[in-house]
Amino acid sequence: FLNMLEKIAEDSNAHFLFAGYFDSYEERLAPHAALHGRSSWIGFQNDIMAVHNISDVFVNPARSGGGTGVVYALQAELPVLSLSVGDGGLVTKSFPEIRDYEHMAEIALKLLRSQVLLQQYQKISREEAPKFSGGLVSRIVAEFEKFAQRRLS
């Protein structure tokens, strides 16, 4: 994964923001010179949507789980790059298939260089996000309305 990010980092517009738990961040990035000064680790964040609001693309590493992170990225209308396996692959079926990390790097570089392609991926995110909301927003709004009615009564 880090080798793939190094390839993307060759573009001067690329910067990687790692949020969450990342054991031995400094040690793991040490052998990847292209990532020095091109990445930041901000640790665990209580408001991941605020992080998404300052991001352009969500890159999902191959891992067990990961689907929830992808769903949050979709809600923020972020283009999502995920291999077509695992939970991330299930959530990103409407995006063009990504076969491997080399292919992911190619697509990431195209997104960095093409506003039109970036907008196409954002459109997919906008269209896909409601499929994964499960009515959560509607339930939250209904609870707020009940609360407001009780406070006004």
Side-chain angles (χ1 to χ4, degrees):
F1 183 77
L2 293 176
N3 290 333
M4 184 254 321
L5 295 182
E6 259 191 319
K7 183 174 181 178
I8 299 167
E10 293 172 6
D11 187 299
S12 63
N13 291 317
H15 187 91
F16 304 97
L17 184 61
F18 295 98
Y21 300 106
F22 193 146
D23 289 333
S24 308
Y25 168 78
E26 297 289 337
E27 292 170 18
R28 288 188 182 187
L29 263 65
H32 301 278
L35 296 177
H36 299 182
R38 307 302 299 285
S39 67
S40 304
W41 175 48
I42 58 173
F44 179 80
Q45 299 296 303
N46 289 322
D47 186 357
I48 196 63
M49 296 307 282
V51 175
H52 288 330
N53 286 333
I54 61 168
S55 302
D56 296 314
V57 176
F58 183 82
V59 180
N60 190 48
R63 57 192 162 140
S64 176
T68 303
V70 172
V71 169
Y72 279 116
L74 291 175
Q75 297 294 327
E77 297 183 11
L78 284 176
V80 176
L81 300 182
S82 182
L83 298 178
S84 58
V85 296
D87 291 348
L90 292 172
V91 176
T92 57
K93 284 184 178 182
S94 293
F95 286 93
E97 182 181 11
I98 297 176
R99 299 177 304 273
D100 52 37
Y101 281 145
E102 185 174 322
H103 187 216
M104 186 182 285
E106 290 171 20
I107 294 172
L109 288 167
K110 288 178 183 177
L111 287 169
L112 278 168
R113 297 169 182 158
S114 171
Q115 191 65 30
V116 171
L117 185 61
L118 185 67
Q119 289 171 352
Q120 289 172 353
Y121 271 67
Q122 288 169 330
K123 182 177 186 271
I124 295 170
S125 293
R126 259 191 313 280
E127 293 169 352
E128 289 300 298
K131 295 177 184 177
F132 297 98
S133 68
L136 178 61
V137 174
S138 298
R139 290 195 311 265
I140 291 171
V141 169
E143 289 302 315
F144 276 126
E145 287 173 353
K146 287 181 196 174
F147 176 76
Q149 286 175 348
R150 284 193 305 265
R151 298 282 289 178
L152 294 174
S153 299

